Amino acid sequence: MTSQTATWVDGAPASVLALPDRALDFGDGLFETLLLRHGTPLYLDLHMQRLQRGLQALALPDCLANVRLQLAQVANSVQESEWMWSALRVTVSRGSGPRGYAPPLTPRPRIIITVTQLGRDCAQLSEGAVLALAEMRWAAQPALAGIKHLNRLEQVLAAAQARAAGADEAVMLGQSGQLISVVAGNLFLVRGGQLLTPAIQDSGIAGTRRQLVMERWAKLLGLGVQETNLSLDDLATADEVFYSNSLLGLRPVASFGDHQWRDHSVCQSLFEQYRGELP
């Protein structure tokens, strides 16, 4: 592997995608983004569990065993390279089908895997992020909340707004004005020694690192975690703010509008738990 990005389609190296494909036509599919260290995927089981939930939600055939097999083959290829850190995206499309919205009666899922070399040391905590407020809001759809389906236009537009504002990330709200997330991560607020994170009921993604914070790392530090409805006022009055995703692990927030945070001690302590688990 000599290129900065490599792609496989249904287990074979590829640079083209056969058409038609319902992922392109309708966003009919799912994806997962995994962090690889020397070709070893981190927290693979958590990603596969969420992918399984997505397959069930979209009534896609259970192709998880095939996904695991192809991931293992790709990981072996990456291990032969000199890439220390890389991002792997696996996309499961419903595949080809006749014209129209209705899915084929016997779909044949297509598995697309892309690996990109990362130019940063993912074992180091990133500097504090500058947040803007996205004008684009999450659509409410409880049937799709939590999973990583391919329809990501809200995040595409919100990411463009963050870039135009000169920010590292953007806070995304729900239709009622409640906090949901940042564009590419789950939000956490620290208040009174407790962690607060937006509930994922109508929209948002149930992140793997969010799950680890809530179920493991916070407990190791004696911190309580509460999923609840949160507002911009809650964000502005938090003692500390950070967000999580699969490539950064955790990242502290330095500012949002006129609000600034210099204390990142909780985020730093949680990141140490994460770093201690790295292979």
Side-chain angles (χ1 to χ4, degrees):
M1 296 173 61
T2 58
S3 64
Q4 295 301 303
T5 299
T7 302
W8 293 258
V9 177
D10 289 334
S15 58
V16 297
L17 181 65
L19 297 177
D21 190 280
R22 291 181 61 86
L24 177 62
D25 292 342
F26 307 114
D28 189 1
L30 304 155
F31 75 102
E32 290 287 331
T33 302
L34 290 80
L35 180 63
L36 274 60
R37 186 175 190 180
H38 293 301
T40 299
L42 304 186
Y43 305 110
L44 175 61
D45 286 344
L46 296 183
H47 286 282
M48 292 301 97
Q49 289 165 14
R50 183 173 58 191
L51 182 59
Q52 182 69 59
R53 294 194 297 272
L55 293 172
Q56 294 171 351
L58 299 189
L60 282 164
D62 186 354
C63 55
L64 204 63
N66 199 13
V67 171
R68 282 185 174 272
L69 175 62
Q70 293 187 31
L71 281 174
Q73 293 171 343
V74 169
N76 287 335
S77 297
V78 178
Q79 288 169 2
E80 296 173 1
S81 73
E82 296 181 354
W83 294 4
M84 174 177 287
W85 296 101
S86 50
L88 182 151
R89 171 175 165 138
V90 54
T91 300
V92 178
S93 163
R94 200 180 299 268
S96 62
R99 183 188 177 282
Y101 288 128
L105 294 176
T106 56
R108 298 181 60 185
R110 179 172 287 151
I111 300 170
I112 305 161
I113 298 177
T114 301
V115 181
T116 303
Q117 185 180 22
L118 297 177
R120 60 177 296 271
D121 184 357
C122 298
Q124 300 300 317
L125 183 66
S126 298
E127 64 181 4
V130 175
L131 302 188
L133 178 63
E135 296 177 9
M136 175 58 60
R137 294 190 175 190
W138 278 96
Q141 179 46 269
L144 299 177
I147 65 173
K148 297 196 76 169
H149 57 79
L150 295 177
N151 293 269
R152 293 293 151 207
L153 279 178
E154 292 113 330
Q155 288 163 289
V156 169
L157 296 176
Q161 292 168 359
R163 182 173 59 190
D168 299 304
E169 256 289 2
V171 175
M172 295 191 70
L173 306 178
Q175 292 300 302
S176 299
Q178 76 276 25
L179 287 179
I180 298 294
S181 67
V182 292
V183 177
N186 292 112
L187 267 171
F188 285 91
L189 314 183
V190 182
R191 188 167 64 197
Q194 185 179 39
L195 292 179
L196 306 174
T197 191
I200 298 175
Q201 299 169 333
D202 297 329
S203 53
I205 294 173
T208 57
R209 286 10 177 214
R210 175 183 186 268
Q211 182 177 350
L212 288 163
V213 169
M214 296 175 64
E215 296 180 0
R216 187 152 78 213
W217 299 335
K219 291 181 180 180
L220 291 172
L221 297 177
L223 293 171
V225 185
Q226 182 181 1
E227 286 185 276
T228 186
N229 292 324
L230 297 167
S231 67
L232 282 174
D233 287 340
D234 292 314
L235 176 64
T237 57
D239 300 325
E240 185 180 340
V241 180
F242 63 92
Y243 61 89
S244 63
N245 67 32
S246 61
L247 299 185
L248 293 171
L250 306 171
R251 184 173 185 180
V253 171
S255 65
F256 173 64
D258 295 332
H259 307 284
Q260 296 185 352
W261 293 273
R262 294 182 175 83
D263 179 12
H264 307 307
S265 56
V266 172
C267 181
Q268 290 168 344
S269 296
L270 289 167
F271 191 84
E272 286 303 313
Q273 297 294 329
Y274 165 63
R275 180 157 53 189
E277 295 182 359
L278 296 177

